[in-house]
Amino acid sequence: MSNREDYLFWKLARIFTDKGYSLMHMSEDHNELWLEDTTNKHAQVIRLLRSDLDWGKKLQRDVHHSAVQAENIRKHLMKRQLNVLNIYISMHLPVDEFESYIQRPIQVNKKTLLHSVIIDQENVENGISHVSKILNDDITIQLNDEYEDQDVMELKSAVLTNVVSKSKQEQQFFENGKPFFTYVFLAIQIAMFILLEMTGGSNNQENLIRYGAKFNPLILEGEWWRFITPIFLHIGFLHILMNSLALYYLGPTVEQIFGRIRFVWIYLFSGFAGVLASFLFSSHLSAGASGAIFGCFGALLYIGAANPKLFFRTMGMNVIIVIIINLVFGFSVSGIDNYGHLGGLVGGFLAAAIVHFPKQHKWFTQIGALLLAAIVTGGLLFMGFNNESPEVINGLAQQKLNDENYEDAYKLLNQLVEKGKGDAVTYFQLSYSEIQLQKLEKAKEHLQKTIELDPKFHQAYYNLALLYANEGNFTKAKELVQKALEFSKDKKYEELLNKMNQAS
């Protein structure tokens, strides 16, 4: 026996594994191999079969069986389309009709395409050429007429050693120490939730602000630590439960891949990036580890950018689908800080790119990511602290009004009005500060402006009614209170109207 076909079988296996294909399955007799490279658009999967073909019907059954297996692989890999190259290495061609079974690719569910090629001893060059054409790659093999058993065994051993080595490298990639800081962060956020509940409640805004929730006015006042502290605070039991479960299941994976120190950096920077994005694009009070958790997803996406073959062969589509589901859910449900999620996702990707993987360096990418992160972070901070939109200034002014710092609130709001940027809330707050500072005529003027900008602003009608009532103009005051009652059935509006009716 020449062993020529056996040698060709393992030679092709060696070529494909050297080109990046990984072993998916090997039969017990080592005569069938399924190889995978999801980044190869011409053939994501290659099936190699060393079998002497006798009859066309047997070939037909095997081709159709391979097509079914290929479709199952497509579903497992979650691929929309899958191209499979099915290579038979046989000493002879079938003795009866067989061409119709391999001339055209077999299509399964319009999603899986199976190309079959037979390489026999009389048509090696043509068969290799056909394989090269399907793969759009130049494959050249020079074969001797005969090979010793040892030649085949040495080549087989080299292929299997290469496959095992790659498998160990991939396994080591996912095992860079046992998770530790995942559970530290989990313990901190649970402890903080218990503390919030014991000191006023996790749904109490004042309590959340006291313990460090993201609150734009106080950040603008210089409380920079609020870019970090919100990561460990949660609003309500469902919020802490969902984020704790997400961290419990996702955190260990990221920490094992990147190692403990890198994980701490990724988690905290992602959380910071999420809070920063929320600070810039949302005026609402917020808290939660969602940005940091999305940062863990971002770090996994970086694996897809740095090592796409490994990523899509292991976790790729699952990660992408989970991210899409979470983002769609976030944008379809009110009360979720989507800016924080998106900021954390981008932050996690950049944080992972900066540190790369343990015991590996990619200096150009790492330095580039560091510069990009610094520029983006600096730019967003500058924009946030120099944002003169009414929403931002109104929030800062409201905090000053709550602190009874009426003079500073008046100056802040008046500057915005002078620049022509004020909205209805701006003028209402300005009027309130003016009432406290006894600038009553100006207050009336600005309440009128509030109503002009927002005719349904019932608090403005009420405050204006109080000013007219204070002047003794009850007719005008009644008219204004009745207008306020059209938009709100507030008891204090009804009480004021009753008092004026009794007085008159």
Side-chain angles (χ1 to χ4, degrees):
M1 189 172 180
S2 70
N3 288 326
R4 195 166 183 255
E5 286 71 31
D6 295 326
Y7 187 88
L8 176 59
F9 175 83
W10 289 107
K11 184 65 176 178
L12 284 170
R14 179 62 183 268
I15 289 172
F16 294 141
T17 53
D18 285 346
K19 288 181 178 293
Y21 282 88
S22 297
L23 180 65
M24 295 177 66
H25 170 76
M26 181 169 61
S27 63
E28 291 183 4
D29 59 9
H30 295 182
N31 285 335
E32 181 184 16
L33 303 178
W34 286 82
L35 306 169
E36 172 200 5
D37 180 3
T38 53
T39 63
N40 190 315
K41 62 181 180 180
H42 302 289
Q44 293 91 8
V45 173
I46 295 177
R47 186 232 189 179
L48 280 170
L49 179 65
R50 169 66 186 98
S51 177
D52 290 326
L53 304 172
D54 299 321
W55 301 98
K57 285 295 182 182
K58 179 181 177 182
L59 173 65
Q60 181 189 27
R61 287 194 298 271
D62 188 82
V63 168
H64 284 283
H65 177 68
S66 299
V68 172
Q69 285 182 290
E71 172 64 4
N72 290 333
I73 290 171
R74 183 196 66 78
K75 292 177 180 177
H76 175 72
L77 296 175
M78 296 190 220
K79 303 287 288 184
R80 292 182 60 189
Q81 300 289 332
L82 189 72
N83 293 323
V84 181
L85 176 56
N86 182 30
I87 303 173
Y88 295 95
I89 299 173
S90 174
M91 185 174 292
H92 303 289
L93 295 174
V95 297
D96 57 346
E97 198 279 325
F98 69 91
E99 287 86 352
S100 60
Y101 308 138
I102 63 172
Q103 279 179 346
R104 294 181 180 178
I106 291 180
Q107 195 169 40
V108 184
N109 294 333
K110 297 182 179 180
K111 295 179 179 180
T112 298
L113 199 64
L114 181 81
H115 298 264
S116 293
V117 177
I118 300 177
I119 304 176
D120 68 295
Q121 65 177 355
E122 301 296 332
N123 297 284
V124 173
E125 287 188 11
N126 288 338
I128 297 298
S129 177
H130 194 183
V131 169
S132 298
K133 185 177 180 181
I134 294 172
L135 292 175
N136 194 30
D137 194 0
D138 184 23
I139 297 175
T140 304
I141 299 177
Q142 297 293 331
L143 291 177
N144 299 330
D145 292 333
E146 293 187 5
Y147 288 93
E148 298 293 331
D149 289 345
Q150 178 144 357
D151 295 329
V152 176
M153 289 304 298
E154 286 178 356
L155 182 56
K156 177 181 176 180
S157 177
V159 172
L160 295 181
T161 300
N162 186 30
V163 166
V164 170
S165 176
K166 282 185 177 180
S167 178
K168 286 184 177 179
Q169 286 178 3
E170 290 181 1
Q171 188 174 0
Q172 289 174 355
F173 181 85
F174 293 99
E175 296 177 356
N176 288 294
K178 294 182 179 180
F180 172 75
F181 285 105
T182 294
Y183 304 117
V184 171
F185 290 139
L186 190 60
I188 292 173
Q189 69 185 38
I190 292 173
M192 288 305 302
F193 181 77
I194 294 172
L195 181 62
L196 283 171
E197 289 295 324
M198 292 175 61
T199 57
S202 62
N203 286 292
N204 184 307
Q205 288 196 3
E206 290 184 5
N207 205 33
L208 285 164
I209 292 171
R210 179 164 63 249
Y211 283 99
K214 189 221 80 172
F215 188 55
N216 289 4
L218 292 181
I219 292 176
L220 290 168
E221 289 287 289
E223 295 186 7
W224 53 267
W225 57 86
R226 291 182 185 271
F227 284 115
I228 296 295
T229 51
I231 303 171
F232 303 102
L233 304 176
H234 290 82
I235 305 171
F237 178 75
L238 183 60
H239 194 202
I240 182 68
L241 176 63
M242 296 303 293
N243 277 354
S244 294
L245 287 173
L247 178 57
Y248 179 79
Y249 286 108
L250 180 62
T253 299
V254 177
E255 190 168 357
Q256 283 179 308
I257 292 172
F258 288 91
R260 292 179 177 178
I261 302 303
R262 284 175 171 81
F263 172 73
V264 171
W265 156 252
I266 290 168
Y267 192 82
L268 293 179
F269 182 79
S270 301
F272 162 77
V275 177
L276 177 57
S278 178
F279 166 67
L280 190 65
F281 299 109
S282 172
S283 62
H284 299 294
L285 179 144
S286 66
S290 300
I293 290 167
F294 266 83
C296 291
F297 282 119
L300 296 180
L301 285 180
Y302 175 71
I303 299 173
N307 196 338
K309 291 182 180 180
L310 177 62
F311 178 72
F312 285 103
R313 190 167 63 253
T314 54
M315 65 181 78
M317 288 308 300
N318 290 330
V319 170
I320 292 171
I321 288 171
V322 170
I323 291 173
I324 292 173
I325 290 172
N326 276 277
L327 289 176
V328 170
F329 177 77
F331 281 102
S332 60
V333 177
S334 61
I336 293 179
D337 191 350
N338 295 298
Y339 297 110
H341 293 177
L342 291 172
L345 186 67
V346 175
F349 186 93
L350 286 174
I354 290 169
V355 295
H356 201 56
F357 305 116
K359 301 176 184 178
Q360 297 182 35
H361 296 291
K362 208 171 184 180
W363 294 118
F364 181 80
T365 298
Q366 290 177 254
I367 294 171
L370 178 61
L371 291 174
L372 179 60
I375 291 169
V376 171
T377 300
L380 293 180
L381 285 170
F382 179 82
M383 290 171 59
F385 281 98
N386 291 275
N387 189 348
E388 292 188 343
S389 69
E391 193 176 50
V392 172
I393 301 302
N394 293 344
L396 186 56
Q398 185 61 55
Q399 184 62 32
K400 293 184 180 297
L401 292 174
N402 292 342
D403 295 338
E404 298 184 0
N405 193 347
Y406 304 118
E407 190 66 44
D408 284 353
Y410 170 78
K411 290 178 181 177
L412 191 65
L413 294 163
N414 201 47
Q415 287 174 358
L416 188 63
V417 166
E418 288 177 351
K419 293 177 181 178
K421 296 181 178 180
D423 59 10
V425 174
T426 307
Y427 282 98
F428 180 76
Q429 290 178 331
L430 179 59
S431 69
Y432 185 81
S433 67
E434 288 168 334
I435 290 171
Q436 300 302 321
L437 296 171
Q438 295 300 306
K439 301 176 184 288
L440 301 185
E441 287 302 315
K442 278 291 184 182
K444 287 168 62 178
E445 178 185 329
H446 290 138
L447 284 169
Q448 292 286 3
K449 183 64 176 180
T450 301
I451 294 168
E452 180 184 325
L453 293 173
D454 184 0
K456 295 182 179 181
F457 207 128
H458 53 87
Q459 299 97 327
Y461 290 109
Y462 176 73
N463 284 4
L464 193 56
L466 289 174
L467 290 177
Y468 277 107
N470 189 55
E471 294 176 353
N473 190 344
F474 296 110
T475 302
K476 184 65 176 178
K478 286 181 185 179
E479 180 185 326
L480 289 165
V481 174
Q482 288 168 345
K483 196 68 178 177
L485 285 166
E486 290 180 17
F487 304 111
S488 173
K489 299 302 180 183
D490 195 313
K491 287 185 179 180
K492 66 181 179 182
Y493 299 170
E494 294 177 352
E495 290 173 358
L496 178 60
L497 183 61
N498 290 335
K499 284 182 181 179
M500 289 190 292
N501 285 332
Q502 291 171 3
S504 59

